[in-house]
């Protein structure tokens, strides 16, 4: 990775973390409502994957998608306004965190249906082939729980048979709501499942940006060459509860020791240490990145607070398809 890329990825990860910390705080105050599934702790995965995007590349997200959206460059003001349910939100204030779309920037949306994005990614990849955009690829993020869903297997099979340019990114954060992967997954490494679909599979430390980048480069290169899909499993951890009401995530279904161990392996601190030691980033540069991000998040909150509520007249809009006359 170039110095510029490393600094860019660091700033994106910090923005993702700060945005979500603020959203959690506002949720606790009742200013943000709806559902929130924090991505905190997993930032390296989305940021490393989407760093390898070229114009025209696409990606699908999940219910835990704020980090994917930020990594994909979504406007944080529109995101925050959406969480506030305001008219200026990315989905007009009617969607919330699981309905964030930005197709112009390749973001095919967060998704409340676990594993739903994997088949959407195949559909998008088929379209790319049909319109001869053979140099573009589609990333699809999903959890280890989603890797047990039938649609994920159908999608991997189809992608393999039709050599679709899909990069299956399994974020193994080791839990599906309250259930441990040890109790629910037939394999220890989800990447093993790739062999059933004749595609390369690799397990990577999901908190290590450099290791992730090496794996994504290979997968993206293969997909752009028309050689088909790959499965990359990033082993990581969600620091917080499944959603803000999950009070069992610390000392309940997960031991406090386990959570603390993973917090010590923070992907952002790890990258900052690497950048400081390598001389890629000075303390002053780090401080100015943090200040810039804080200002951006504050501005997003101000924008959301100052924005109007959606007009009642739009309530039924986008619910039913419009009847076309003539
Ligand atoms: C098809 C479907 N089944 C079940 C649910 C309920 N649900 C929401 S998140 C979740 C756990 C998903 O686990 P995983 O795929 O590992 O993602 P993570 O939440 O860990 O990011 C479940 C079962 C759902 N939203 N959609
Ligand atoms: Mg999980």
């Amino acid at each position: 990775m170039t110095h510029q890329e490393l600094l860019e990825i660091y700033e994106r990860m910090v923005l993702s973390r700060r945005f979500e910390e603020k959203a959690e705080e506002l949720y606790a105050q009742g200013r943000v409502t709806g559902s929130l599934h924090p991505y905190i702790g997993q930032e390296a995965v989305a940021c490393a994957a989407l760093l390898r995007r070229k114009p025209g590349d696409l990606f699908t997200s999940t219910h835990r998608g704020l980090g994917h959206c930020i990594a994909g460059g979504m406007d944080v003001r529109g995101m925050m306004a959406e969480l506030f349910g305001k008219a200026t939100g990315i989905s007009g204030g009617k969607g919330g965190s699981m309905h964030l779309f930005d197709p112009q920037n390749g973001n095919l949306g967060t998704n409340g249906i676990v594993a739903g994005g994997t088949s959407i990614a195949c559909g998008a990849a088929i379209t790319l082939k049909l319109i001869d955009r053979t140099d573009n690829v589609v990333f699809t993020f999903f959890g280890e729980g989603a890797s047990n869903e039938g649609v994920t297997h159908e999608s991997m099979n189809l992608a393999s048979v039709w050599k679709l340019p899909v990069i299956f990114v399994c974020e193994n954060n080791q839990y599906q709501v309250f259930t441990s992967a040890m109790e629910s997954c037939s394999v220890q490494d989800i990447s093993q499942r790739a062999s059933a679909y004749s595609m390369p599979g690799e397990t990577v430390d999901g908190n290590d940006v450099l290791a992730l980048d090496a794996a994504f480069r290979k997968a993206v290169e293969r997909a752009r060459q028309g050689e088909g899909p790959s499965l990359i499993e990033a082993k990581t951890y969600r620091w917080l509860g499944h959603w803000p009401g999950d009070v069992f995530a610390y000392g309940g279904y997960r031991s406090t020791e386990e959570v603390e161990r993973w917090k010590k392996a923070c992907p952002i601190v790890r990258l900052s240490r690497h950048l400081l030691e390598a001389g890629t980033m000075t303390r002053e540069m780090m401080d100015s990145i943090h200040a810039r991000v804080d200002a951006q998040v504050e501005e997003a909150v101000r924008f959301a607070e100052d924005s109007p509520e959606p007009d009642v007249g739009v309530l039924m809009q986008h619910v039913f398809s419009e009847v076309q006359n003539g």
Side-chain angles (χ1 to χ4, degrees):
M1 269 199 266
T2 64
H3 283 194
Q4 194 49 40
E5 284 175 338
L6 282 162
L7 290 170
E8 195 183 306
I9 203 167
Y10 179 73
E11 182 153 349
R12 284 250 162 247
M13 285 167 70
V14 175
L15 178 61
S16 180
R17 176 73 57 93
R18 293 277 202 274
F19 181 93
E20 289 208 277
E21 284 170 347
K22 182 54 88 179
E24 289 284 316
E25 186 188 316
L26 296 167
Y27 192 96
Q29 296 167 5
R31 287 154 78 198
V32 157
T33 54
S35 63
L36 265 192
H37 299 93
Y39 190 69
I40 291 178
Q42 303 184 202
E43 294 91 346
V45 186
C47 289
L50 296 183
L51 186 72
R52 291 291 146 230
R53 270 195 319 161
K54 273 209 230 176
D57 287 348
L58 304 161
F59 69 95
T60 69
S61 173
T62 66
H63 57 288
R64 199 174 299 292
L66 295 174
H68 304 143
C69 291
I70 290 178
M74 190 180 267
D75 165 37
V76 289
R77 299 190 326 158
M79 281 176 74
M80 192 60 90
E82 189 59 36
L83 299 185
F84 272 75
K86 296 295 186 76
T88 53
I90 230 87
S91 297
K94 297 198 293 179
S97 69
M98 292 192 283
H99 299 88
L100 297 167
F101 300 88
D102 190 8
Q104 274 78 16
N105 287 312
N107 182 344
L108 300 179
T110 56
N111 197 327
I113 300 166
V114 168
T118 58
S119 58
I120 295 172
C122 285
I126 292 165
T127 308
L128 289 176
K129 273 195 131 175
L130 289 175
I131 61 173
D132 277 337
R133 283 213 345 234
T134 47
D135 199 31
N136 281 127
V137 303
V138 189
F139 297 84
T140 180
F141 296 98
F142 58 102
E144 81 291 347
S147 82
N148 295 333
E149 294 267 356
V151 66
T152 306
H153 292 269
E154 293 173 47
S155 299
M156 290 202 281
N157 184 61
L158 192 74
S160 174
V161 171
W162 286 354
K163 289 203 184 313
L164 300 178
V166 179
I167 294 119
F168 290 90
V169 186
C170 180
E171 298 189 69
N172 187 349
N173 63 11
Q174 305 170 48
Y175 290 87
Q176 306 107 53
V177 192
F178 303 154
T179 306
S180 156
M182 298 212 286
E183 296 167 52
S184 59
C185 295
S186 61
V187 285
Q188 209 177 3
D189 293 332
I190 303 299
S191 63
Q192 283 177 258
R193 291 185 165 162
S195 66
Y197 304 105
S198 313
M199 65 172 88
E202 188 175 346
T203 294
V204 192
D205 177 343
N207 286 5
D208 181 346
V209 165
L210 300 175
L212 285 162
D213 185 56
F216 286 126
R217 269 173 198 265
K218 267 187 276 171
V220 168
E221 176 72 10
R222 176 180 149 84
R224 290 203 205 284
Q225 303 276 315
E227 290 165 24
S230 305
L231 169 61
I232 292 170
E233 175 196 18
K235 292 244 204 271
T236 183
Y237 203 75
R238 74 164 146 79
W239 286 13
L240 303 180
H242 175 69
W243 84 104
D246 169 8
V247 293
F248 311 108
Y250 191 73
Y253 59 94
R254 309 189 306 181
S255 71
T256 53
E257 293 76 22
E258 180 181 297
V259 181
E260 291 305 323
R261 195 170 63 245
W262 278 95
K263 284 190 177 175
K264 284 207 186 83
C266 175
I268 297 179
V269 171
R270 188 160 165 183
L271 181 59
S272 72
R273 275 205 202 111
H274 170 78
L275 296 177
L276 290 167
E277 277 164 21
T280 311
M281 179 172 73
T282 60
R283 287 260 162 215
E284 293 69 39
M285 284 159 81
M286 186 163 123
D287 290 346
S288 72
I289 288 174
H290 289 193
R292 199 157 54 231
V293 164
D294 286 344
Q296 220 178 325
V297 172
E298 285 308 319
E299 160 59 13
V301 175
R302 226 183 352 263
F303 173 77
E305 274 176 337
D306 293 347
S307 291
E309 301 284 343
D311 189 88
V312 74
V314 302
L315 194 63
M316 299 304 280
Q317 232 179 40
H318 307 127
V319 176
F320 300 105
S321 64
E322 309 276 324
V323 176
Q324 305 286 325
N325 290 320

